[in-house]
Amino acid sequence: MASTCVQMSGFLLSCFGWIGIIIATATSEWVVTCRFDITTCKKMDELGTRGLWEDCVLSTDLYHCRSLTDILLLPAYIQTSRALMISASILGLPAILLVMMSLPCINLGSEPQSIKHKRSVLGGVLVLLVAFGGIISTVWFPIGVHRDSGLMTFGYSLYTGWVGSALCLFGGSMVSCCSGDSLQYDEDRYYYAKQGEDTTASTNHAKSAQV
């Protein structure tokens, strides 16, 4: 029962974390950049937001965005963050499906329990890879922006990426490490326990015969 609750909790955390990763990938307000205070930057039209896909300039009466389409001219941290976040978003789909199909309440025909256990571990490992991709991207990106143009504060997209990565990290760990013992392990444990009982019984019988 405890293993089922842990596995279900890990599945829910992984789902919410994957959704957070997708939202962070699709939105562009990762960081807010400014070399001065907010009021000065707005008057000088230097208050901006930067994400994976576009740079925007914010002011009192202007909101202009420029798409980052020149892939070869982009800094390495933007290209790497894009690749990792896209990979994490795509990899999350098979990971969530594997974890879902390994839940105790879902049975695929008459498959053995050991197959479900292996599927659960594989899904948990994939969720952990999603988490690592999100963590690397959401940590490296603000560092790169700070070196380029000065970082004033973090945007909601970056917070969403952090929360999603953390949820995937906890959910993947719970699914892969706490999904219970495989059927093969249970069978081996039963076999050796049975052997021990047979050996004890034979020894007692032999002692009785000698008496």
Side-chain angles (χ1 to χ4, degrees):
M1 182 64 181
S3 176
T4 302
C5 294
V6 171
Q7 193 172 4
M8 183 65 69
S9 300
F11 169 70
L12 294 177
L13 290 177
S14 301
C15 286
F16 289 125
W18 178 48
I19 293 174
I21 292 290
I22 294 177
I23 294 175
T25 304
T27 54
S28 298
E29 195 171 330
W30 280 48
V31 294
V32 179
T33 57
C34 180
R35 298 182 182 275
F36 312 100
D37 60 272
I38 297 179
T39 305
T40 304
C41 287
K42 284 185 176 180
K43 290 180 179 179
M44 300 176 62
D45 293 340
E46 290 191 6
L47 180 64
T49 61
R50 177 172 296 182
L52 298 177
W53 311 105
E54 57 186 7
D55 286 341
C56 297
V57 176
L58 306 176
S59 64
T60 55
D61 55 354
L62 176 66
Y63 185 84
H64 175 70
C65 294
R66 177 178 62 89
S67 300
L68 303 176
T69 56
D70 299 328
I71 299 178
L72 299 179
L73 300 178
L74 293 177
Y77 70 90
I78 295 181
Q79 297 186 34
T80 306
S81 298
R82 277 186 180 182
L84 289 175
M85 293 299 287
I86 292 175
S87 300
S89 300
I90 296 175
L91 188 62
L93 179 59
I96 295 300
L97 290 178
L98 285 172
V99 175
M100 183 179 65
M101 290 188 297
S102 64
L103 294 176
C105 58
I106 296 179
N107 295 318
L108 301 178
S110 58
E111 63 177 3
Q113 187 67 26
S114 59
I115 299 298
K116 180 175 287 190
H117 174 76
K118 293 178 181 178
R119 189 187 300 122
S120 176
V121 173
L122 178 59
V125 171
L126 292 181
V127 173
L128 289 177
L129 292 178
V130 173
F132 291 143
I135 291 173
I136 294 174
S137 301
T138 53
V139 170
W140 191 5
F141 189 89
I143 294 176
V145 175
H146 179 66
R147 291 177 178 176
D148 282 353
S149 54
L151 172 63
M152 190 188 71
T153 184
F154 303 129
Y156 76 91
S157 300
L158 199 64
Y159 287 116
T160 305
W162 283 339
V163 173
S165 300
L167 292 178
C168 285
L169 183 62
F170 288 120
S173 300
M174 293 171 66
V175 171
S176 59
C177 299
C178 306
S179 58
D181 298 330
S182 64
L183 184 61
Q184 184 63 38
Y185 175 76
D186 292 337
E187 290 176 352
D188 292 342
R189 183 169 55 186
Y190 173 78
Y191 172 76
Y192 289 118
K194 188 67 175 177
Q195 288 290 100
E197 293 176 359
D198 293 341
T199 303
T200 304
S202 299
T203 304
N204 295 334
H205 179 71
K207 289 182 180 180
S208 300
Q210 291 177 359
V211 172

